[in-house]
Amino acid sequence: MPQSEDIHSKMEDVQEKYLEQKERLLGAIDSAKTILSDLRIFNRDSWVVRYPQLRDQSAEESTPVEVSTSKAPKRKSIRPRKGMARSMTLASIADETAEEQSNEEDEDRLVAPSDAADFHVFRLDLKLGSHGSSSSPAALVSQLEKASIANLLDDRIGASMNHINKLRQRVEDKSSKVLVTGDLNAGKSTFVNALLKREVMPVDQQPCTTAFCEVHDAADNDGKEELHILKEGIPYSREDESTYTRADLSELESIVSENENVQQMLKVYLRDARSPTESLLSNGIVDISLIDAPGLNRDSMKTTAVFARQEEIDVVVFVVSAENHFTLSAKEFLWNASNEKAYLFIVVNKYEQIRDKAKCRRLVLEQIKQLSPRTFEDAEDLVHFVDSASAFQKDSQSFENLESSLRSFVLVKRAKSKLTPASTYLTHLLSDVDLLVGANAIVAETELERALEDLNRSRPVLEKMKNGREALDESLEHVEEAGSSRSRMRTKEILNDALVRVGQGKLGVEVSGLNMPSYPGFLGIWEYAREVRKTLLTSVDIAVKLAEDEARKITSTGVDKVFQLGEDHLPEGVERSRRVFMPEAMFSTDKLARKKARRQSGALLAGGVYTLGISLGQRPDMLETTFFDIFDVQHQFRIHFSDKSSEEEDPSLTALSVASVGLGALTMVGGKALGVRGVIEGIVRLTDLLGNQTARKWAAPVLGALTIGAAVYFVLELPSSIPRTVGRRIQATLVKENEERVEDASFVEAHAGRVGRESRKVLRLASWDLRERFRNAMEERGREVRGAEDMERKARKAVEWFREVEQRAGGVRCAVESIAEA
């Protein structure tokens, strides 16, 4: 009794301090909620928040999960405030070993450094591969898209904001909720009855508690003892009878047993006849509700319900059987509860039935040390070994000590029992925020540096390309024009020279393997003239090929210049052209192109129209031999009777020219001046003359002289005059045949135009390829610059924002820790 009175006196002393701590904690809760809201908005609108890869102890002992190379530059790691050591990596940011903290600092901390080395509230419980293959989120985080991680974090932040709202309601609530839970058959209901000193909860050897029974003081129900059965899905209100069904306390056992498979919520109102100094419910200071929960491992649904319900209560009283210790469900529950509440009240029931009590005590405390370190540190007040069944029947000193400690924990140490869970959660939450924003601040700084490096690299290149674009276009146009003009002029030179030589009876070009045919004699004079014509035409064809070869060389030089312009103007890293110039592919034969060219100009070219088809040396119409290839009467007549022609031709006379002129004159005079009648009369007179004896004597010598002269003529003159005659006719044909057409359709002009166009086509193709590469490279550099500028803006904004949030979170966390230390 004196101890209970002492509790009341102490309660009056700490009430004012409790209220002050409560107000400060409410302010910290509001600040934390604002930080979470800002972080969520920033994650959605401005920055995709990254999830840092944390390195836990198991990862350090095995293969590290973070990605790092010996060449990667080391960057500063996150240094949590006030000794909260973390080891983390983020997207190839090398981590550094966290500083060791002294044992004295660790003892004063609300969250141990070992706990602060990982996420708590924001922890992503993801598994990868077979069961247990990944004990931390880092193994999977590196394989997820940034957007996926951001969405997962957004969900966690939203859940944290909802939990903070519940925290505020719990802190503002003047009453305290005590949850009594544990494994099946651990004696939870018996323990509750012992606390109440009444047999209210149904007790049986079989598991019987399947409902949440929340016990209140009858004073909260106008002094009436009764049972309220809550209706599912409807918020409970004592003043609104439509939200519940009334029942008598005596019906509690039957209601629970009849609805064993239905999860029920029951409100039990009891009168406690004991004095306020002895009663837990009617203590006269704080309204307390005692919640008897179902066993953890009864089924998954009820276990999940207990897990969810523990977030709404202030004190967890966990009842464990001294015979079975902690099951897997119990360990998981205690681990989650200790993360939020730090301190748990543990009752080891049925302890009197254990023979080796020292061993039992030692094993239980070792497990508590692993599950709830803070509870273990205060085990003298928070861990009790009792037998509830015997305590209900008779007085027990151990149970009296338990009651006293529980009343002290709930009433006197209310800051620890009611405010510490909220403080612990806020500390974990702000620690996660500090880790998250600190890591992202490093990422933002890294991306800012990378953006500035990209700008320093890309922006000058882009400006240089913009300034050099016009010069490149001018240079390419000059190369195209120069190459085409040079090929055209060179073709004219070669073909004009070839035609002059052919007109002189010489080969158009001197090449090995091509010679003028030898004179076969008078009997083969016709075939000789044909072979001369064919040889001279072949030499013209070869001249055309020679002009094409010269164009290939000129074009190849132009292509090399285009490639060099690419080397001078394209930036580093841009793939150069893989096109290979093949000179032999120029002037290739194509039937469609030949027909199109013939329709456009119809020019006579070596090798057919635009060198597509049959060459001059193989065309029947060009190889046709006539009488004028041997005796070019018309040509000789023009020389001797035309002043213009005589000035251009060689005026030297030969026997062949005299004979040709005489024959022509005789033909003209005989046909024009004398007429047919005069010719007939001349023949008659010549017959009369030959009938004269004297004339016959002179006829033989004269005929002999004429025969000898004719023989000399055919032997000496014809072999040299036929090539000149044939050459002049070929030259005249090629030069004058197309005079009625446009000027550029002549033989030389057509070939010169064709060769020039072919060169221009090749050079234009090379220039087009370079222009396209230059344009694509400039567009790519433009995108790089715009992307880097955008990243610079975002990263700079993110750095400032994360640093500001980091300071805010640190300030709030320091305030929470000061509340816990007070």
Side-chain angles (χ1 to χ4, degrees):
M1 184 73 65
Q3 188 176 9
S4 299
E5 294 178 353
D6 185 58
I7 291 175
H8 276 65
S9 63
K10 289 181 179 179
M11 182 65 191
E12 294 175 356
D13 296 336
V14 301
Q15 182 67 16
E16 183 177 353
K17 182 179 180 180
Y18 167 78
L19 293 177
E20 179 186 356
Q21 291 177 331
K22 175 181 175 181
E23 292 301 321
R24 292 167 58 190
L25 184 59
L26 289 175
I29 290 176
D30 292 338
S31 299
K33 183 178 179 180
T34 302
I35 291 174
L36 288 181
S37 177
D38 293 344
L39 180 61
R40 195 176 194 185
I41 294 173
F42 196 73
N43 178 41
R44 290 177 175 179
D45 300 338
S46 303
W47 183 267
V48 179
V49 177
R50 275 66 157 188
Y51 189 84
Q53 300 181 24
L54 302 177
R55 183 175 60 192
D56 53 23
Q57 183 177 359
S58 61
E60 291 179 356
E61 295 173 354
S62 60
T63 305
V65 298
E66 62 268 19
V67 180
S68 62
T69 62
S70 59
K71 297 181 180 180
K74 289 189 176 181
R75 305 183 185 272
K76 60 183 180 180
S77 62
I78 298 174
R79 298 295 186 188
R81 293 181 179 84
K82 302 190 70 174
M84 299 188 69
R86 292 187 182 89
S87 177
M88 56 78 65
T89 60
L90 181 59
S92 77
I93 299 179
D95 66 328
E96 300 178 4
T97 305
E99 298 178 357
E100 297 181 355
Q101 305 298 319
S102 63
N103 294 331
E104 291 78 11
E105 291 177 344
D106 293 345
E107 293 176 357
D108 295 336
R109 295 203 50 76
L110 186 63
V111 181
S114 59
D115 293 335
D118 196 358
F119 280 120
H120 297 277
V121 180
F122 293 159
R123 184 182 182 91
L124 300 181
D125 298 324
L126 302 173
K127 300 294 182 181
L128 180 65
S130 58
H131 178 69
S133 62
S134 174
S135 60
S136 69
L140 184 58
V141 165
S142 60
Q143 302 183 27
L144 293 177
E145 294 290 339
K146 292 187 296 184
S148 302
I149 295 297
N151 291 334
L152 291 175
L153 286 175
D154 185 78
D155 294 340
R156 286 302 174 91
I157 293 173
S160 300
M161 294 177 66
N162 293 332
H163 190 73
I164 282 182
N165 293 330
K166 294 180 180 179
L167 276 179
R168 183 175 181 83
Q169 294 176 1
R170 195 162 68 199
V171 172
E172 289 179 331
D173 189 2
K174 296 180 180 180
S175 65
S176 291
K177 293 183 179 181
V178 180
L179 176 69
V180 180
T181 187
D183 288 327
L184 288 175
N185 289 329
K188 299 183 300 300
S189 298
T190 303
F191 171 74
V192 172
N193 291 334
L195 283 178
L196 299 174
K197 299 301 181 181
R198 291 180 59 177
E199 192 170 344
V200 179
M201 300 299 155
V203 178
D204 197 344
Q205 295 296 327
Q206 298 297 323
C208 59
T209 304
T210 60
F212 284 93
C213 297
E214 187 171 345
V215 183
H216 293 264
D217 186 7
D220 298 336
N221 191 39
D222 300 329
K224 298 179 182 179
E225 285 190 339
E226 61 182 359
L227 176 64
H228 291 181
I229 306 172
L230 275 63
K231 295 183 179 180
E232 186 177 359
I234 302 177
Y236 170 75
S237 175
R238 191 182 65 84
E239 289 77 13
D240 187 1
E241 294 190 11
S242 63
T243 61
Y244 62 91
T245 302
R246 295 179 185 270
D248 193 79
L249 285 179
S250 59
E251 303 177 27
L252 176 60
E253 184 172 356
S254 60
I255 291 174
V256 170
S257 60
E258 291 175 2
N259 297 276
E260 184 175 350
N261 296 323
V262 179
Q263 182 176 326
Q264 290 181 309
M265 300 293 294
L266 306 176
K267 296 280 186 177
V268 181
Y269 292 94
L270 294 177
R271 283 192 300 268
D272 194 339
R274 292 177 294 174
S275 65
T277 57
E278 296 178 349
S279 174
L280 184 63
L281 293 179
S282 303
N283 56 77
I285 301 174
V286 178
D287 294 334
I288 293 178
S289 60
L290 199 63
I291 303 172
D292 184 16
L296 290 179
N297 50 1
R298 179 174 179 83
D299 58 50
S300 60
M301 181 176 295
K302 291 182 174 59
T303 299
T304 302
V306 174
F307 273 80
R309 187 64 184 267
Q310 69 93 8
E311 296 180 352
E312 303 175 3
I313 53 89
D314 300 303
V315 179
V316 173
V317 177
F318 194 88
V319 182
V320 60
S321 173
E323 300 171 348
N324 300 325
H325 298 184
F326 297 99
T327 63
L328 292 177
S329 298
K331 291 179 179 179
E332 186 175 1
F333 177 87
L334 290 174
W335 187 88
N336 288 326
S338 63
N339 280 339
E340 179 182 351
K341 294 174 173 54
Y343 298 97
L344 304 175
F345 201 93
I346 297 178
V347 177
V348 184
N349 201 15
K350 304 179 183 179
Y351 182 67
E352 297 298 330
Q353 304 175 19
I354 301 298
R355 294 181 181 180
D356 193 347
K357 292 180 172 56
K359 180 180 179 180
C360 176
R361 178 182 293 268
R362 176 176 56 82
L363 293 177
V364 169
L365 289 176
E366 287 179 354
Q367 294 181 70
I368 292 175
K369 183 178 180 180
Q370 298 295 325
L371 297 172
S372 180
R374 294 299 179 187
T375 302
F376 175 78
E377 294 174 1
D378 202 6
E380 184 177 353
D381 292 331
L382 299 179
V383 181
H384 294 269
F385 296 82
V386 298
D387 193 317
S388 300
S390 61
F392 182 73
Q393 298 173 0
K394 60 181 180 179
D395 293 336
S396 172
Q397 185 62 41
S398 60
F399 199 85
E400 289 181 1
N401 293 335
L402 181 152
E403 286 185 287
S404 178
S405 298
L406 181 58
R407 284 170 55 84
S408 176
F409 185 66
V410 175
L411 301 177
V412 179
K413 299 179 180 179
R414 200 174 182 206
K416 178 181 288 187
S417 63
K418 188 173 183 64
L419 301 185
T420 297
S423 300
T424 303
Y425 182 83
L426 280 182
T427 303
H428 283 151
L429 176 64
L430 294 171
S431 174
D432 288 359
V433 170
D434 184 58
L435 173 58
L436 193 64
V437 300
N440 280 271
I442 293 178
V443 175
E445 290 176 349
T446 303
E447 295 198 1
L448 177 59
E449 294 175 2
R450 185 181 298 115
L452 293 175
E453 292 175 358
D454 292 342
L455 283 176
N456 292 334
R457 183 184 66 255
S458 301
R459 187 176 284 161
V461 174
L462 180 61
E463 293 300 324
K464 180 181 178 181
M465 294 183 72
K466 288 181 178 179
N467 296 333
R469 183 173 188 175
E470 184 176 352
L472 176 62
D473 288 338
E474 292 178 355
S475 298
L476 290 176
E477 290 176 1
H478 175 73
V479 170
E480 293 177 19
E481 187 63 31
S484 176
S485 299
R486 177 60 180 159
S487 297
R488 183 183 182 93
M489 296 304 298
R490 185 60 180 150
T491 301
K492 285 184 177 182
E493 293 175 3
I494 294 175
L495 295 184
N496 283 329
D497 183 65
L499 290 181
V500 171
R501 291 176 58 86
V502 168
Q504 296 173 356
K506 302 175 182 178
L507 294 175
V509 289
E510 296 290 343
V511 292
S512 60
L514 181 65
N515 299 304
M516 294 294 290
S518 58
Y519 181 64
F522 180 74
L523 297 179
I525 190 172
W526 194 263
E527 186 63 27
Y528 174 68
R530 180 180 178 84
E531 290 298 325
V532 168
R533 173 176 284 273
K534 182 176 181 180
T535 302
L536 293 178
L537 290 174
T538 301
S539 69
V540 175
D541 289 335
I542 295 176
V544 173
K545 297 299 182 183
L546 180 60
E548 291 177 351
D549 291 340
E550 287 291 321
R552 290 187 178 96
K553 295 178 182 179
I554 296 172
T555 305
S556 180
T557 302
V559 171
D560 292 339
K561 291 181 180 179
V562 172
F563 287 164
Q564 185 59 46
L565 287 173
E567 293 294 331
D568 296 339
H569 288 80
L570 289 179
E572 294 182 3
V574 177
E575 184 180 9
R576 269 44 177 178
S577 176
R578 295 184 179 181
R579 294 178 181 270
V580 179
F581 174 55
M582 301 177 63
E584 61 273 12
M586 293 178 65
F587 313 107
S588 59
T589 302
D590 184 86
K591 292 182 179 180
L592 294 177
R594 182 184 65 213
K595 291 180 179 179
K596 181 178 179 181
R598 183 180 293 118
R599 287 196 304 267
Q600 290 178 348
S601 66
L604 183 63
L605 308 175
V609 179
Y610 291 94
T611 194
L612 307 176
I614 304 174
S615 61
L616 290 176
Q618 297 177 345
R619 293 182 53 148
D621 55 335
M622 295 297 295
L623 292 176
E624 183 179 356
T625 304
T626 65
F627 172 78
F628 294 103
D629 288 339
I630 301 174
F631 301 103
D632 193 355
V633 180
Q634 296 178 357
H635 175 71
Q636 296 298 332
F637 186 83
R638 285 196 304 269
I639 293 177
H640 296 286
F641 292 98
S642 175
D643 295 337
K644 184 177 179 181
S645 299
S646 61
E647 295 176 358
E648 298 176 356
E649 299 291 341
D650 184 6
S652 58
L653 299 178
T654 62
L656 180 60
S657 64
V658 172
S660 299
V661 172
L663 183 58
L666 179 60
T667 303
M668 183 184 67
V669 173
K672 300 292 181 178
L674 299 179
V676 178
R677 181 178 178 180
V679 173
I680 295 174
E681 291 179 354
I683 293 174
V684 172
R685 291 178 182 178
L686 180 60
T687 304
D688 294 339
L689 180 61
L690 291 177
N692 189 291
Q693 186 175 4
T694 304
R696 285 198 300 268
K697 292 180 180 180
W698 289 97
V702 172
L703 292 175
L706 290 174
T707 301
I708 294 173
V712 171
Y713 164 75
F714 285 113
V715 173
L716 298 179
E717 288 294 329
L718 285 180
S720 59
S721 63
I722 289 178
R724 291 194 298 270
T725 302
V726 173
R728 284 193 299 269
R729 290 177 59 80
I730 291 175
Q731 182 184 25
T733 301
L734 295 180
V735 171
K736 297 182 179 180
E737 183 176 4
N738 299 296
E739 285 182 350
E740 296 181 357
R741 298 185 176 93
V742 293
E743 182 179 353
D744 59 357
S746 64
F747 177 79
V748 175
E749 289 293 339
H751 272 295
R754 175 183 63 87
V755 172
R757 285 190 295 272
E758 187 74 9
S759 295
R760 184 183 294 275
K761 180 177 68 175
V762 174
L763 294 175
R764 183 166 293 172
L765 178 61
S767 299
W768 174 85
D769 182 76
L770 177 56
R771 285 190 177 95
E772 284 298 303
R773 291 182 182 278
F774 186 85
R775 181 182 62 81
N776 293 334
M778 191 162 67
E779 290 179 355
E780 180 65 26
R781 292 303 177 274
R783 287 192 294 268
E784 290 179 2
V785 170
R786 291 190 296 272
E789 290 174 344
D790 184 59
M791 179 54 66
E792 180 192 10
R793 289 191 298 271
K794 289 184 178 180
R796 196 178 298 279
K797 177 182 177 181
V799 169
E800 297 174 356
W801 191 87
F802 283 126
R803 291 308 181 197
E804 188 265 337
V805 171
E806 192 175 24
Q807 293 178 359
R808 289 166 55 192
V812 176
R813 189 173 63 187
C814 290
V816 173
E817 290 175 352
S818 66
I819 295 173
E821 293 171 358

PDB file of all heavy atoms in Angstrom, residues 509-526:
ATOM      1  N   VAL A 509      45.174   7.926-129.594  1.00  0.00           N
ATOM      2  CA  VAL A 509      46.106   7.834-128.464  1.00  0.00           C
ATOM      3  C   VAL A 509      47.088   6.719-128.779  1.00  0.00           C
ATOM      4  O   VAL A 509      46.750   5.727-129.433  1.00  0.00           O
ATOM      5  CB  VAL A 509      45.375   7.545-127.133  1.00  0.00           C
ATOM      6  CG1 VAL A 509      44.571   8.753-126.675  1.00  0.00           C
ATOM      7  CG2 VAL A 509      44.467   6.333-127.252  1.00  0.00           C
ATOM      8  N   GLU A 510      48.301   6.909-128.348  1.00  0.00           N
ATOM      9  CA  GLU A 510      49.329   5.894-128.533  1.00  0.00           C
ATOM     10  C   GLU A 510      49.286   4.937-127.354  1.00  0.00           C
ATOM     11  O   GLU A 510      49.569   5.309-126.216  1.00  0.00           O
ATOM     12  CB  GLU A 510      50.707   6.547-128.628  1.00  0.00           C
ATOM     13  CG  GLU A 510      50.880   7.461-129.825  1.00  0.00           C
ATOM     14  CD  GLU A 510      50.924   6.672-131.144  1.00  0.00           C
ATOM     15  OE1 GLU A 510      51.137   5.452-131.086  1.00  0.00           O
ATOM     16  OE2 GLU A 510      50.717   7.299-132.195  1.00  0.00           O
ATOM     17  N   VAL A 511      48.876   3.711-127.622  1.00  0.00           N
ATOM     18  CA  VAL A 511      48.825   2.696-126.578  1.00  0.00           C
ATOM     19  C   VAL A 511      49.468   1.429-127.112  1.00  0.00           C
ATOM     20  O   VAL A 511      49.461   1.169-128.323  1.00  0.00           O
ATOM     21  CB  VAL A 511      47.379   2.391-126.148  1.00  0.00           C
ATOM     22  CG1 VAL A 511      46.775   3.591-125.432  1.00  0.00           C
ATOM     23  CG2 VAL A 511      46.506   2.005-127.318  1.00  0.00           C
ATOM     24  N   SER A 512      50.036   0.674-126.230  1.00  0.00           N
ATOM     25  CA  SER A 512      50.659  -0.579-126.637  1.00  0.00           C
ATOM     26  C   SER A 512      49.579  -1.561-127.061  1.00  0.00           C
ATOM     27  O   SER A 512      48.523  -1.633-126.450  1.00  0.00           O
ATOM     28  CB  SER A 512      51.482  -1.158-125.474  1.00  0.00           C
ATOM     29  OG  SER A 512      50.644  -1.402-124.351  1.00  0.00           O
ATOM     30  N   GLY A 513      49.874  -2.307-128.098  1.00  0.00           N
ATOM     31  CA  GLY A 513      48.931  -3.322-128.581  1.00  0.00           C
ATOM     32  C   GLY A 513      48.000  -2.824-129.651  1.00  0.00           C
ATOM     33  O   GLY A 513      47.242  -3.616-130.226  1.00  0.00           O
ATOM     34  N   LEU A 514      48.006  -1.500-129.919  1.00  0.00           N
ATOM     35  CA  LEU A 514      47.137  -0.958-130.959  1.00  0.00           C
ATOM     36  C   LEU A 514      48.012  -0.272-132.001  1.00  0.00           C
ATOM     37  O   LEU A 514      48.655   0.737-131.716  1.00  0.00           O
ATOM     38  CB  LEU A 514      46.132   0.033-130.363  1.00  0.00           C
ATOM     39  CG  LEU A 514      45.147   0.635-131.373  1.00  0.00           C
ATOM     40  CD1 LEU A 514      44.243  -0.457-131.950  1.00  0.00           C
ATOM     41  CD2 LEU A 514      44.318   1.733-130.718  1.00  0.00           C
ATOM     42  N   ASN A 515      48.040  -0.796-133.248  1.00  0.00           N
ATOM     43  CA  ASN A 515      48.845  -0.251-134.349  1.00  0.00           C
ATOM     44  C   ASN A 515      47.993  -0.158-135.602  1.00  0.00           C
ATOM     45  O   ASN A 515      46.983  -0.862-135.742  1.00  0.00           O
ATOM     46  CB  ASN A 515      50.069  -1.140-134.621  1.00  0.00           C
ATOM     47  CG  ASN A 515      50.979  -1.237-133.405  1.00  0.00           C
ATOM     48  OD1 ASN A 515      51.438  -0.225-132.890  1.00  0.00           O
ATOM     49  ND2 ASN A 515      51.229  -2.469-132.953  1.00  0.00           N
ATOM     50  N   MET A 516      48.421   0.741-136.507  1.00  0.00           N
ATOM     51  CA  MET A 516      47.736   0.852-137.796  1.00  0.00           C
ATOM     52  C   MET A 516      47.968  -0.422-138.605  1.00  0.00           C
ATOM     53  O   MET A 516      49.056  -1.012-138.565  1.00  0.00           O
ATOM     54  CB  MET A 516      48.250   2.057-138.569  1.00  0.00           C
ATOM     55  CG  MET A 516      47.917   3.392-137.918  1.00  0.00           C
ATOM     56  SD  MET A 516      46.145   3.726-137.906  1.00  0.00           S
ATOM     57  CE  MET A 516      45.883   4.002-139.653  1.00  0.00           C
ATOM     58  N   PRO A 517      46.961  -0.867-139.382  1.00  0.00           N
ATOM     59  CA  PRO A 517      47.126  -2.101-140.173  1.00  0.00           C
ATOM     60  C   PRO A 517      48.144  -1.895-141.315  1.00  0.00           C
ATOM     61  O   PRO A 517      48.338  -0.777-141.797  1.00  0.00           O
ATOM     62  CB  PRO A 517      45.721  -2.368-140.692  1.00  0.00           C
ATOM     63  CG  PRO A 517      45.055  -1.035-140.700  1.00  0.00           C
ATOM     64  CD  PRO A 517      45.617  -0.279-139.559  1.00  0.00           C
ATOM     65  N   SER A 518      48.787  -2.960-141.734  1.00  0.00           N
ATOM     66  CA  SER A 518      49.760  -2.881-142.838  1.00  0.00           C
ATOM     67  C   SER A 518      49.024  -2.926-144.195  1.00  0.00           C
ATOM     68  O   SER A 518      47.948  -3.511-144.301  1.00  0.00           O
ATOM     69  CB  SER A 518      50.757  -4.046-142.747  1.00  0.00           C
ATOM     70  OG  SER A 518      50.064  -5.285-142.775  1.00  0.00           O
ATOM     71  N   TYR A 519      49.641  -2.305-145.200  1.00  0.00           N
ATOM     72  CA  TYR A 519      49.025  -2.223-146.531  1.00  0.00           C
ATOM     73  C   TYR A 519      49.131  -3.583-147.216  1.00  0.00           C
ATOM     74  O   TYR A 519      50.229  -4.093-147.441  1.00  0.00           O
ATOM     75  CB  TYR A 519      49.714  -1.142-147.355  1.00  0.00           C
ATOM     76  CG  TYR A 519      49.125  -0.961-148.727  1.00  0.00           C
ATOM     77  CD1 TYR A 519      47.817  -0.526-148.888  1.00  0.00           C
ATOM     78  CD2 TYR A 519      49.893  -1.217-149.865  1.00  0.00           C
ATOM     79  CE1 TYR A 519      47.277  -0.343-150.136  1.00  0.00           C
ATOM     80  CE2 TYR A 519      49.354  -1.039-151.127  1.00  0.00           C
ATOM     81  CZ  TYR A 519      48.047  -0.596-151.257  1.00  0.00           C
ATOM     82  OH  TYR A 519      47.523  -0.421-152.503  1.00  0.00           O
ATOM     83  N   PRO A 520      47.999  -4.204-147.609  1.00  0.00           N
ATOM     84  CA  PRO A 520      48.047  -5.561-148.185  1.00  0.00           C
ATOM     85  C   PRO A 520      48.275  -5.579-149.689  1.00  0.00           C
ATOM     86  O   PRO A 520      48.392  -6.656-150.280  1.00  0.00           O
ATOM     87  CB  PRO A 520      46.657  -6.103-147.839  1.00  0.00           C
ATOM     88  CG  PRO A 520      45.767  -4.900-147.878  1.00  0.00           C
ATOM     89  CD  PRO A 520      46.601  -3.757-147.390  1.00  0.00           C
ATOM     90  N   GLY A 521      48.320  -4.429-150.345  1.00  0.00           N
ATOM     91  CA  GLY A 521      48.445  -4.380-151.800  1.00  0.00           C
ATOM     92  C   GLY A 521      47.159  -3.894-152.448  1.00  0.00           C
ATOM     93  O   GLY A 521      46.118  -3.727-151.793  1.00  0.00           O
ATOM     94  N   PHE A 522      47.240  -3.689-153.743  1.00  0.00           N
ATOM     95  CA  PHE A 522      46.113  -3.109-154.454  1.00  0.00           C
ATOM     96  C   PHE A 522      44.879  -3.988-154.392  1.00  0.00           C
ATOM     97  O   PHE A 522      43.764  -3.499-154.296  1.00  0.00           O
ATOM     98  CB  PHE A 522      46.512  -2.848-155.916  1.00  0.00           C
ATOM     99  CG  PHE A 522      45.390  -2.249-156.720  1.00  0.00           C
ATOM    100  CD1 PHE A 522      45.032  -0.910-156.549  1.00  0.00           C
ATOM    101  CD2 PHE A 522      44.670  -3.034-157.630  1.00  0.00           C
ATOM    102  CE1 PHE A 522      43.986  -0.381-157.292  1.00  0.00           C
ATOM    103  CE2 PHE A 522      43.629  -2.482-158.353  1.00  0.00           C
ATOM    104  CZ  PHE A 522      43.286  -1.150-158.203  1.00  0.00           C
ATOM    105  N   LEU A 523      45.099  -5.305-154.423  1.00  0.00           N
ATOM    106  CA  LEU A 523      43.958  -6.210-154.413  1.00  0.00           C
ATOM    107  C   LEU A 523      43.215  -6.193-153.079  1.00  0.00           C
ATOM    108  O   LEU A 523      42.033  -6.508-153.028  1.00  0.00           O
ATOM    109  CB  LEU A 523      44.427  -7.634-154.745  1.00  0.00           C
ATOM    110  CG  LEU A 523      45.029  -7.824-156.149  1.00  0.00           C
ATOM    111  CD1 LEU A 523      45.482  -9.264-156.355  1.00  0.00           C
ATOM    112  CD2 LEU A 523      44.018  -7.423-157.231  1.00  0.00           C
ATOM    113  N   GLY A 524      43.867  -5.798-152.015  1.00  0.00           N
ATOM    114  CA  GLY A 524      43.227  -5.761-150.679  1.00  0.00           C
ATOM    115  C   GLY A 524      42.967  -4.356-150.202  1.00  0.00           C
ATOM    116  O   GLY A 524      42.861  -4.138-148.986  1.00  0.00           O
ATOM    117  N   ILE A 525      42.899  -3.400-151.179  1.00  0.00           N
ATOM    118  CA  ILE A 525      42.759  -1.999-150.782  1.00  0.00           C
ATOM    119  C   ILE A 525      41.439  -1.730-150.055  1.00  0.00           C
ATOM    120  O   ILE A 525      41.362  -0.925-149.123  1.00  0.00           O
ATOM    121  CB  ILE A 525      42.918  -1.095-152.036  1.00  0.00           C
ATOM    122  CG1 ILE A 525      43.030   0.368-151.573  1.00  0.00           C
ATOM    123  CG2 ILE A 525      41.733  -1.282-152.991  1.00  0.00           C
ATOM    124  CD1 ILE A 525      43.391   1.296-152.722  1.00  0.00           C
ATOM    125  N   TRP A 526      40.378  -2.408-150.460  1.00  0.00           N
ATOM    126  CA  TRP A 526      39.076  -2.171-149.814  1.00  0.00           C
ATOM    127  C   TRP A 526      39.069  -2.652-148.363  1.00  0.00           C
ATOM    128  O   TRP A 526      38.597  -1.965-147.466  1.00  0.00           O
ATOM    129  CB  TRP A 526      38.007  -2.881-150.634  1.00  0.00           C
ATOM    130  CG  TRP A 526      36.618  -2.428-150.268  1.00  0.00           C
ATOM    131  CD1 TRP A 526      35.762  -3.041-149.423  1.00  0.00           C
ATOM    132  CD2 TRP A 526      35.961  -1.278-150.767  1.00  0.00           C
ATOM    133  NE1 TRP A 526      34.590  -2.348-149.343  1.00  0.00           N
ATOM    134  CE2 TRP A 526      34.677  -1.237-150.176  1.00  0.00           C
ATOM    135  CE3 TRP A 526      36.307  -0.260-151.692  1.00  0.00           C
ATOM    136  CZ2 TRP A 526      33.753  -0.241-150.441  1.00  0.00           C
ATOM    137  CZ3 TRP A 526      35.372   0.712-151.942  1.00  0.00           C
ATOM    138  CH2 TRP A 526      34.118   0.737-151.310  1.00  0.00           C
TER     139      TRP A 526
END
